[in-house]
Structure formats: structure tokens, C-alpha cells
Amino acid sequence: MALHNHDTATAPPAHRWQEAGEAWGTRAPDWACLYEHYSLDMLTALLPRLGVGPGTSLLDVACGSGLAVRVADGMGADVAGIDAAAELVTIARQRTPTSDLRVGSMFELPWGNEHFDAVVSVNGIWGGCGAALDEVYRVLRPGGLVAISFWGQGPPLDIREVFKIFALHSPEQHHGSMRRLNEIATPGIAEEMMEASGFSVLERGSRVSTMEWPDADIAWRAVSSVGPAVPALRSNDTVVLRDAVLAALEHCRDQRGMYRTRSDHQFVVARKY
């Protein structure tokens, strides 16, 4: 039995999953249609590494609007997912009605012990969220695989400037939590988190995540749909924020006016023995 260094019964200090879910669900259709494709390069890397195929039972932690769920379902897997944002889960259920998708906290997974063959979390488990990995360990069968991804340190890291603008314009109480979450980008932190929950790390790798939008209006709708944008939007003039974000993305705009961001996307794969 693994000796966990996390308290499996508690989330990180000040974590309010309902509040986080409300933020991420504020502009759910925009996020689902205009932003979620950031994960495609990562899904191409992770799902084969997890052995996803006919009959695989897969859990997607922080499943969002269900792009990974839909892809894994198409590969023949039996897919479940959980997310804090009810609006995103509604979209995910409509995309893949046969999957078991629930609204809730990744720190209290509503499935029994050793229930899944594999677990994936694309940009869902961040620094300070080791207790979520404890829950993943609990629901994963012996020999099962887990893969998590997160933004790296770059280069490239076009999306970082957008998040920096939202952080700069957010109330002070949000700054500490954002810094803690981003600690996972530091090399070795994700591996330490995995090992602290009892996993054996198999591989660390990376991909370049690419997002594309046809014009400035769509680019703004896309990036302003992320959860960290909400505190900034509530506290500032939207026009000021829009101008700052588009200025930060100007180097990503081509001669047609099309925006194309590229960002360092890291992943870690581990096994439960």
C-alpha cells in the first residue's frame, strides 16, 4: 500500500470547487467551441500511452466540455468524467450521451476503489492539488496508468502573456492561488506530486499546443472564456482588458488577420503498482 503524503479527505486550503466551476462555466459555449481544441495535440500523445481502446475504462478528471471524452469514446473506451463546471458538463453530456459524466470535486471522486483502468487529466490537476492525485490513486486499478498535463515554461509559451494580463487585473486574493497552481511548471514538481501519491513515474514529455482563431473578435471570445479571466472581467473595463490581450497576441497574428498561438505543453505518465 502506498504511503501518501497528502490528506486524501481535504482539498487545498481555500479551495472552493463550486466557485471555480462557476468561473469556468461562465462562457461555456465559447470555451467548448473556441478554446478546448488547445488539448488536441496532448490527447494525441496521451490516449495511446494510456492504452485507450475498446473496453478500456477511462476517467477524465476535470473533463471540461468533454473533448477528451468524445475522442476516447470514439476509440471504443468506456468513459467517465468529472468537472466542477456544471455548464461545461452539460455540453459534455450532449456530445457523448453514453458516458458517465458528473459535476463535482476532483478531491472527492464519486466512484469506488479500483474502478478504472486509466485516468487522464488535461490541465486539470495543478500545483497544490496532490490530494486529487490521492483520489486518482484510489479509483485506479493496480497496474493502471495515469497521465496529467500542464503548461510548461516554454519556449514557446504564447498563452502565458494572456494569463499574466488576467492575473495583473485580478483582485489581490487571486494572485497567491494562481502562483501556487503554476508551480507544477517547475521541472520535477509534477513527478514529486505523483510519487507522493504512490505512483511510479514512467515518462515525462511535451508537445506544442496550437490554437487558431480567424480574427480578433473570435480570439478575444476564446481567451476570455477561461476561468482565470472571470475575476479580471468582473473588476475592470472589458474594453481595456480586450485591448491589452489583443496587443499581447499581436505577434501571433498573420498577414490574413488569423491568430495562431503555440505553447509548451508538458505531460507526465505514471503507473499504480
Side-chain angles (χ1 to χ4, degrees):
M1 178 178 294
L3 296 177
H4 297 181
N5 293 332
H6 310 297
D7 179 356
T8 59
T10 59
H15 177 78
R16 294 179 291 273
W17 68 267
Q18 294 94 338
E19 182 178 310
E22 180 184 356
W24 280 96
T26 299
R27 302 187 180 190
D30 282 352
W31 195 86
C33 296
L34 305 178
Y35 195 91
E36 195 180 18
H37 68 282
Y38 85 90
S39 64
L40 282 173
D41 296 284
M42 187 54 65
L43 294 176
T44 301
L46 295 187
L47 295 181
R49 282 171 166 79
L50 293 174
V52 173
T56 305
S57 58
L58 175 72
L59 172 64
D60 184 357
V61 175
C63 65
S65 50
L67 180 58
V69 171
R70 179 168 63 84
V71 174
D73 178 79
M75 296 170 70
D78 298 319
V79 192
I82 190 168
D83 199 275
E87 292 296 323
L88 291 176
V89 171
T90 295
I91 295 173
R93 287 170 175 160
Q94 292 167 340
R95 283 176 165 174
T96 314
T98 56
S99 294
D100 177 12
L101 302 175
R102 309 190 192 186
V103 178
S105 170
M106 63 183 176
F107 301 101
E108 297 178 280
L109 297 178
W111 291 279
N113 297 345
E114 301 180 1
H115 191 84
F116 296 100
D117 299 322
V119 178
V120 67
S121 185
V122 179
N123 291 33
I125 297 176
W126 295 89
C129 295
L133 286 174
D134 289 348
E135 276 289 271
V136 169
Y137 189 95
R138 179 183 65 79
V139 303
L140 193 60
R141 292 174 182 143
L145 295 167
V146 56
I148 66 171
S149 74
F150 43 89
W151 297 125
Q153 295 183 320
L157 200 54
D158 294 331
I159 202 64
R160 173 167 55 192
E161 297 307 311
V162 173
F163 283 100
K164 286 171 64 175
I165 290 168
F166 290 141
L168 179 65
H169 290 85
S170 293
E172 181 63 33
Q173 64 263 30
H174 291 274
H175 295 179
S177 63
M178 292 179 73
R179 283 192 294 269
R180 183 181 69 250
L181 295 175
N182 289 328
E183 286 176 357
I184 199 169
T186 303
I189 295 296
E191 291 89 339
E192 290 176 6
M193 291 172 60
M194 287 284 202
E195 290 167 356
S197 290
F199 293 105
S200 296
V201 174
L202 302 178
E203 179 185 6
R204 181 177 182 129
S206 66
R207 291 292 185 271
V208 174
S209 172
T210 301
M211 290 185 282
E212 294 178 317
W213 307 295
D215 55 45
D217 288 340
I218 298 299
W220 167 247
R221 285 179 60 186
V223 297
S224 64
S225 70
V226 301
V230 172
L233 289 166
R234 289 174 176 169
S235 305
N236 296 272
D237 186 319
T238 300
V239 174
V240 172
L241 279 178
R242 184 183 188 276
D243 289 348
V245 165
L246 292 179
L249 291 175
E250 180 60 26
H251 72 286
C252 301
R253 190 163 67 99
D254 67 16
Q255 68 274 18
R256 304 176 188 84
M258 182 178 180
Y259 290 77
R260 183 176 297 105
T261 68
R262 294 185 173 92
S263 298
D264 175 26
H265 208 175
Q266 298 283 315
F267 67 86
V268 172
V269 180
R271 187 183 300 274
K272 174 181 177 178
Y273 287 106

